[in-house]
Amino acid sequence: MPDKVVKTPYPLIDADPHFSRVVRYFRPSDYATWAAGTGAFPAALYLWNMADPLPDNVRLRTSLRLGGLLGLFGGFLLAYQNSSMRFWGWSENKREEEMDLAELRQRVAEGKPLHPQSSQPSWIQDVAYRNSAWSQLKFQAFPMFNFVNHQHHGTDPAKYGVEEKLSE
């Protein structure tokens, strides 16, 4: 079955980027989002406690620590989702596009494959792609990341200087 082609206002960089690429391409605003999420959760718990105090025999410290941990995870997921949307071309991605071109053209110049090879069988790579494609939109239900290198990226390799093999 062919991949769904989505019209986006900005150029598509990668339809299913690897986890490490998404994190490497974080912008300072993504780190700020992560930090804000980390701090906002315990702050909201503290303010809530001011409005409706806990009984005197219950300590707030454990709740604030758990809130900080949940804020850390939630902030990271939001930052990851924002970075992924730039890979998909859903938000402004000029910086990521330039980094992508430089990184992948360098791989081609070194004689390496455009995307890292995987030791997994091709059917596992296909399953991993189908499971992780668009998964960033479902973080609230089931956080899932792409940890498998595969060849399903939705872009034309020719823009990086890769020549098509005639035998395929």
Side-chain angles (χ1 to χ4, degrees):
M1 178 153 74
D3 292 334
K4 180 177 178 71
V5 177
V6 178
K7 302 285 187 227
T8 60
Y10 300 98
L12 172 71
I13 297 172
D14 196 333
D16 189 28
H18 193 274
F19 177 85
S20 64
R21 283 190 81 201
V22 175
V23 173
R24 271 195 331 243
Y25 283 45
F26 270 14
R27 290 182 175 185
S29 63
D30 295 326
Y31 289 109
T33 299
W34 190 356
T38 302
F41 202 113
L45 287 176
Y46 183 78
L47 293 174
W48 190 5
N49 185 56
M50 288 176 60
D52 185 18
L54 291 169
D56 289 336
N57 62 344
V58 177
R59 296 180 61 174
L60 185 61
R61 185 183 328 189
T62 304
S63 299
L64 293 177
R65 287 178 180 165
L66 179 61
L69 185 64
L70 292 174
L72 178 78
F73 292 140
F76 174 77
L77 292 176
L78 186 57
Y80 189 93
Q81 185 178 48
N82 291 341
S83 184
S84 295
M85 287 184 183
R86 288 191 294 272
F87 272 97
W88 295 336
W90 290 11
S91 60
E92 188 278 318
N93 63 0
K94 187 68 174 164
R95 174 184 169 269
E96 287 77 9
E97 187 179 14
E98 291 169 358
M99 289 173 64
D100 175 66
L101 280 172
E103 177 184 355
L104 296 184
R105 283 184 177 160
Q106 177 68 29
R107 288 186 64 84
V108 169
E110 292 172 358
K112 296 179 181 176
L114 195 57
H115 297 282
Q117 297 296 315
S118 176
S119 61
Q120 302 289 333
S122 64
W123 70 274
I124 292 287
Q125 293 177 35
D126 295 343
V127 169
Y129 163 69
R130 288 191 298 270
N131 285 336
S132 67
W134 309 109
S135 65
Q136 294 86 335
L137 299 175
K138 301 174 276 200
F139 276 157
Q140 76 281 8
F142 188 75
M144 183 183 296
F145 304 99
N146 175 21
F147 291 114
V148 176
N149 290 312
H150 55 70
Q151 300 306 312
H152 307 284
H153 298 281
T155 56
D156 183 14
K159 77 178 183 179
Y160 304 109
V162 174
E163 297 180 16
E164 285 291 322
K165 296 178 183 173
L166 298 176
S167 61
E168 297 182 336

